[in-house]
Amino acid sequence: MKIIFATNNAHKLSEVQAVLGDGYELVTPRQCGIDEEIPETAETLEGNARQKARYLFERTGLDCFADDTGLEVEALNGAPGVHSARYATDGHDFAANNRLLLKNLAGEENRRARFRTVICLIEQGKEHLFEGIVEGRIIDHEAGSEGFGYDPLFVPEGFDRTFAEMSAEQKNGISHRGRAVRKLVDYLHQTEK
Ligand code: IMP
């Protein structure tokens, strides 16, 4: 079954495809002829996921889903949160975001943080939301080269390695996005019956 996923980020695409399994073929907006950046101007993860999914649905009329993720750092009152992609600059500059996060947490003892993903599925025109959370902490230096974004700084609870030091399979097994996508898959399987 084909389903449109609102991302052109190759990392995210392969993470989500791995969790969805062979029964689903993910189609990107670009493959549907949507080349412009999909608007995400809401002030919450839920709002952005809904906005992106609605946009795709209105353009294609097909079943689709969108996700939005934020890194919520306790000592920073939940920042960067919904602004995670553009924390340091206007673009998606992962290295600059990581530098700014380390700077803002310098000398801070409370390193607690969590990743939160919200997925909005639009199926036959109806919206469904799924959430995935992973708790952890921000270390004081980058470690590892796998994954993307804040992965080199985030150690999930119960582990002593960052997401960037894990294989994609390990990360998917415990990650915010993996958890949210498994809820989506459970829902899709239920409705198939
Ligand atoms: P998006 O909403 O999924 O595009 O995520 C917004 C931003 O959060 C990204 O630009 C990354 O900086 C960060 N981010 C999202 N997912 C992850 C992840 O799995 N690991 C590390 N950083 C992530």
Side-chain angles (χ1 to χ4, degrees):
M1 183 183 148
K2 285 192 182 187
I3 186 159
I4 308 173
F5 176 33
T7 191
N8 289 311
N9 173 333
H11 272 292
K12 264 200 328 196
L13 207 61
S14 67
E15 281 189 10
V16 172
Q17 182 70 68
V19 181
L20 273 179
D22 293 339
Y24 296 90
E25 185 189 336
L26 288 179
V27 180
T28 64
R30 211 168 275 145
Q31 287 167 332
C32 302
I34 299 171
D35 288 317
E36 70 274 19
E37 201 164 325
I38 300 173
E40 53 181 307
T41 53
E43 273 307 308
T44 59
L45 299 177
E46 286 79 2
N48 275 339
R50 293 178 65 213
Q51 186 183 21
K52 290 190 277 188
R54 278 266 143 226
Y55 184 91
L56 273 183
F57 179 68
E58 274 157 25
R59 291 287 305 273
T60 64
L62 300 171
D63 288 352
C64 57
F65 67 95
D67 76 330
D68 202 38
T69 295
L71 175 69
E72 301 174 339
V73 180
E74 197 171 272
L76 302 176
N77 298 318
V82 71
H83 304 293
S84 292
R86 296 180 173 82
Y87 189 36
T89 68
D90 247 7
H92 296 242
D93 186 338
F94 296 147
N97 286 342
N98 287 347
R99 278 197 301 274
L100 181 61
L101 181 60
L102 286 181
K103 186 170 154 235
N104 288 343
L105 282 179
E108 176 59 58
E109 273 177 25
N110 176 7
R111 316 291 295 196
R112 286 186 61 81
R114 64 182 196 170
F115 276 114
R116 193 162 73 88
T117 291
V118 176
I119 290 178
C120 177
L121 166 73
I122 299 187
E123 189 205 23
Q124 295 175 8
K126 277 207 193 119
E127 280 182 19
H128 307 269
L129 293 181
F130 307 93
E131 185 187 57
I133 291 175
V134 60
E135 302 283 349
R137 64 192 164 89
I138 302 297
I139 57 169
D140 63 5
H141 60 279
E142 293 197 16
S145 55
E146 300 297 318
F148 68 100
Y150 299 95
D151 280 348
L153 294 178
F154 184 84
V155 173
E157 216 165 69
F159 293 80
D160 55 8
R161 278 167 300 142
T162 67
F163 269 162
E165 294 176 296
M166 296 183 179
S167 66
E169 203 183 346
Q170 281 175 317
K171 179 184 168 188
N172 266 336
I174 53 173
S175 80
H176 45 302
R177 191 171 303 99
R179 287 176 176 163
V181 175
R182 278 189 288 279
K183 288 184 188 172
L184 167 73
V185 172
D186 286 348
Y187 173 81
L188 291 172
H189 285 166
Q190 266 171 31
T191 55
E192 268 171 14
K193 283 170 201 154

